Amino acid sequence: MKKKISNKLKTIPWLFLRVLYLKERRGRKIVYTDGVFDTLHPGHVDYIHIAAQKGDILIVGIHSDELTKERKGKDRPLIPFKGRVKIISALQDVDYVVEIKDKKSYYNIIKKLNPDILVLSETTTDKDYSPKAVVKCLNGLIKKITILPAQSEFHTTDLIRKEG
């Protein structure tokens, strides 16, 4: 039975202990991915579904409102953090959600949780969050990094430009 939507958002210390238990005691394969997920579209759903299929437990990091503004511009996010958490948590493939507050916590979460598989999107082009930057920063700390291509023709930034 999957968790209730409201129960999927966890703190880093709680997730650390849970991941340790699931990996060491239960032999579960942990997958981690993250994103802004501002206005969920079919590409996001497909991306999360593919990520979930790579292991047993999927943890999704969601960028805070402040980090989203920093990365995407002052008019973002369109949907506040709590709303994005509720939407992502409603997806059946998602087991846990964690907040990414800033660049430092972005890398610290990945290092602390030490997932078996880190799933990244090739569509991320920010210099600090691109797959190339992440791989360079983590430098062999994660066993397997998978970089997924775009899952649809939808991109939130492009959709916003069309509307504007």
Side-chain angles (χ1 to χ4, degrees):
M1 182 172 186
K2 285 289 182 177
K3 290 146 218 61
K4 292 182 181 178
I5 291 172
S6 60
N7 293 341
K8 289 186 180 181
L9 179 63
K10 302 298 180 187
T11 64
I12 297 166
W14 188 94
L15 270 175
F16 170 75
L17 293 173
R18 184 70 178 157
V19 164
L20 196 61
Y21 170 78
L22 289 168
K23 286 172 86 168
E24 301 298 321
R25 299 284 177 116
R26 298 287 185 204
R28 300 287 165 79
K29 191 182 290 186
I30 307 298
V31 179
Y32 177 86
T33 194
D34 68 85
V36 172
F37 303 110
D38 198 9
T39 66
L40 190 69
H41 58 68
H44 289 138
V45 175
D46 291 342
Y47 175 84
I48 287 170
H49 182 68
I50 292 167
Q53 291 177 327
K54 303 217 174 275
D56 303 310
I57 302 293
L58 177 64
I59 301 170
V60 177
I62 300 178
H63 298 215
S64 69
D65 292 343
E66 295 75 22
L67 181 56
T68 300
K69 279 185 193 324
E70 180 185 310
R71 291 190 57 212
K72 303 291 185 177
K74 63 179 176 62
D75 295 331
R76 302 280 294 279
L78 300 176
I79 299 172
F81 177 76
K82 286 184 179 179
R84 292 181 285 134
V85 166
K86 189 171 187 178
I87 291 167
I88 294 298
S89 294
L91 297 176
Q92 178 178 332
D93 290 317
V94 176
D95 293 292
Y96 301 109
V97 173
V98 65
E99 181 178 16
I100 303 172
K101 295 183 180 190
D102 52 33
K103 179 181 168 183
K104 183 179 176 184
S105 71
Y106 175 84
Y107 287 103
N108 285 342
I109 289 168
I110 297 169
K111 290 175 184 176
K112 185 115 178 147
L113 296 179
N114 190 24
D116 297 294
I117 301 170
L118 173 62
V119 178
L120 303 171
S121 171
E122 74 173 11
T123 63
T124 303
T125 56
D126 308 41
K127 68 179 178 75
D128 294 328
Y129 303 94
S130 71
K132 185 177 179 179
V134 174
V135 169
K136 183 179 178 184
C137 181
L138 295 174
N139 196 19
L141 293 176
I142 305 300
K143 294 175 193 169
K144 183 173 182 182
I145 297 176
T146 300
I147 300 171
L148 295 180
Q151 298 303 308
S152 80
E153 69 279 0
F154 295 101
H155 297 283
T156 304
T157 303
D158 294 339
L159 292 171
I160 292 168
R161 283 188 197 128
K162 285 180 187 176
E163 295 297 318

